[in-house]
Every structure is written in structure tokens, then in C-alpha cells.
Amino acid sequence: MNNFELFGILRSFSPGETAKFYKFLISPYFGNKKKIAMLYREIVKYYPLFTHVNLSKRKLSKKVFPKVTYNDSTMRNLISNLQEAALHFLSIENFERSKFGKSNFLFHELNIKGLPNEFWKTIEKADEFRDGLVDWTYFLNSHFTEANKYNFSHNNSKLHKETDLKKEISYLNNSVNSLVYFFVMNFTAIYLNYLSYKKSYNTYAAMHNNIEKLFGMMNFRELKVLMQNDKNLFVFEIYSSLIKLFSEPESDENYNAFKKVFLSN
């Protein structure tokens, strides 16, 4: 059976994931894909190489449809459905590993359902694991968390006091701050990749792009002043020193400056 895409996906599975995927296929919640599960049960016998002669479509068809005449179209569809299910499984596995991302989907659903007690309890739990690795996903998810706080408060509460107004504005402000950090980290990475192409191939002049134009508009000093009381100001220091280092990689001064900023944060 020449289905390299499906076998490539299944080869990427860990032994634990191969067993978990079968449970996924037979789960009533996901539709109890009986025939797909039968096909997978035969295929996974040859994990992880998937090179055995028994993996031909005709031989697999006899296992899945023992009393039915072979139909190539049916088998191709079944294989395609198994591949689609495998991709669905991988997306769910990734979703389950993302505490922040998963919580934000729950926040949104609790907002739709109008469940204030559950919403704020869940928000408090999510805030507890915000002290982990500070990367671009941290800031993107922080943006969504603060935006969800604002949306829930705005949709379900009345502004009776000045403190209520200040609280909602703080949610908006925190949301925007997180977006700024997200943009700085991601755009800097894009800009450094662009510089790499520029130095290596020198073809940038013939290409129309907005990368250098946008980068010229980004002022780390002004952003740092604008967000002077924020706890994440170190992001500007690290990324501005990283750009200097990348622009002049042979400079000991730039290297030492970046090393000092990076280690101190």
C-alpha cells in the first residue's frame, strides 16, 4: 500500500500514542469509528516501519471486509479517513498539552454560557501557571486571558463604581501590553531571519517587502518608556541587544552586552 503520508504520520507516534490513538478511534465521543479502528489495528501491527507485504490494500481489505469483494475506492476512502483521524488525534494531543491555550477556550465557552463563578475560579487557576516559561506563546495567551476577563466583565457586570471601570480598563491595558510583547518577540525573529537572507544572498533589493520598513518604525526605547512600570520590560532589553549582536556578530562588546542582559533576566 503506497500511502506514505499516513505511514509517515503513524511512524511519528510514540508507542504510548499508538495505543492511545486506538482508544481515540473506538471512543463513542468521537464517533466510534469501527471500520477505521479495524484498519488501524491491522496496520499498527507493523509499527514502526510499516513495510510488510501484508500492508497491501487488498490484504487489509480482507481483514476489514472479510465477506465483501475488494473495492479500491472504498479502501482509499477508509485509508483517507484514518489519516484524517490521525491528524485530528494529534491536534487534540497538542491541545491537551497547552494549559494556557486550553484554558482560553474554556474561558470563552464559560463567557458564552454566562457562568460567573466557574469563569473567575478558572481564571484564578490559570493565573497560577502564568509564572512558567516566558515566550511568545505566554504573551499571546496572556492577551487572550485578559481579553476574556474584559469581555466577561463587560457582558455580565454593570459599572456601579469607579473601581469597576478601572478594573475593566486594566484588563484592556494588560491585553494590549501582552500583544506588544508578542509582536516584539515574533517580529524580531522574522527580522533576524530576513537579515540572514540579506547577508547570505543579497537579493533583498529586488524584492518588495515591508520587513525593514516596519522594523524602522519600531522603537524599543519608546516602547520601554511607554510601558515603564511593567514587569516584562526585560523583553525589550534582551531583543534589542540580540539585534545588535546579530547585526555585528564579531563584536565582543555586543556579545558581552547580550550575555549580561540575558543572564540577568
Side-chain angles (χ1 to χ4, degrees), residues 154-170:
H154 184 73
N155 293 336
N156 297 280
S157 305
K158 294 182 179 180
L159 300 178
H160 295 295
K161 303 177 183 178
E162 184 178 345
T163 53
D164 297 330
L165 176 60
K166 288 181 177 180
K167 186 179 291 185
E168 290 198 355
I169 291 176
S170 72

Side-chain angles (χ1 to χ4, degrees), residues 27-74:
S27 168
Y29 185 82
F30 294 104
N32 191 10
K33 304 172 176 61
K34 185 177 179 180
K35 291 298 182 182
I36 298 176
M38 290 175 65
L39 174 63
Y40 174 69
R41 190 170 56 188
E42 294 302 319
I43 290 175
V44 80
K45 290 177 182 178
Y46 306 101
Y47 169 86
L49 298 178
F50 301 109
T51 56
H52 201 278
V53 293
N54 285 345
L55 289 174
S56 71
K57 285 185 287 186
R58 285 186 177 274
K59 289 186 177 181
L60 288 170
S61 179
K62 288 182 180 180
K63 296 289 186 179
V64 181
F65 307 104
K67 297 181 180 180
V68 179
T69 304
Y70 175 74
N71 185 299
D72 191 69
S73 177
T74 299

Side-chain angles (χ1 to χ4, degrees), residues 73-237:
S73 177
T74 299
M75 282 305 296
R76 282 190 282 110
N77 288 336
L78 193 63
I79 291 165
S80 177
N81 290 338
L82 176 57
Q83 181 173 321
E84 185 178 334
L87 294 175
H88 187 192
F89 170 77
L90 288 177
S91 69
I92 291 173
E93 287 293 286
N94 182 275
F95 178 78
E96 288 295 331
R97 287 195 298 270
S98 175
K99 291 183 179 180
F100 237 148
K102 185 166 63 173
S103 293
N104 276 317
F105 279 101
L106 178 57
F107 300 156
H108 183 68
E109 193 63 23
L110 292 174
N111 190 0
I112 293 174
K113 300 294 185 182
L115 299 170
N117 293 335
E118 290 76 8
F119 179 86
W120 294 112
K121 286 179 181 178
T122 308
I123 284 283
E124 288 178 7
K125 290 180 181 179
D127 286 337
E128 291 175 3
F129 53 75
R130 273 217 240 183
D131 295 328
L133 177 66
V134 178
D135 60 2
W136 67 268
T137 58
Y138 167 88
F139 288 114
L140 181 61
N141 284 309
S142 291
H143 152 67
F144 285 124
T145 299
E146 295 300 319
N148 276 310
K149 286 180 180 179
Y150 168 77
N151 288 331
F152 192 91
S153 177
H154 184 73
N155 293 336
N156 297 280
S157 305
K158 294 182 179 180
L159 300 178
H160 295 295
K161 303 177 183 178
E162 184 178 345
T163 53
D164 297 330
L165 176 60
K166 288 181 177 180
K167 186 179 291 185
E168 290 198 355
I169 291 176
S170 72
Y171 296 150
L172 292 175
N173 188 64
N174 292 338
S175 175
V176 169
N177 286 354
S178 293
L179 274 181
V180 170
Y181 289 120
F182 168 77
F183 174 79
V184 166
M185 297 176 82
N186 273 268
F187 186 68
T188 299
I190 291 170
Y191 180 70
L192 294 182
N193 285 329
Y194 168 74
L195 284 184
S196 179
Y197 285 120
K198 180 177 177 179
K199 289 180 179 180
S200 300
Y201 302 104
N202 199 31
T203 59
Y204 66 98
M207 299 171 62
H208 174 74
N209 67 75
N210 293 320
I211 299 172
E212 281 195 298
K213 294 177 183 177
L214 284 171
F215 186 79
M217 299 167 63
M218 190 164 67
N219 189 311
F220 284 99
R221 287 186 178 180
E222 289 187 6
L223 286 172
K224 190 175 179 180
V225 171
L226 180 67
M227 303 169 72
Q228 56 186 318
N229 295 319
D230 194 86
K231 65 178 182 178
N232 296 306
L233 289 177
F234 66 89
V235 170
F236 298 128
E237 297 175 1

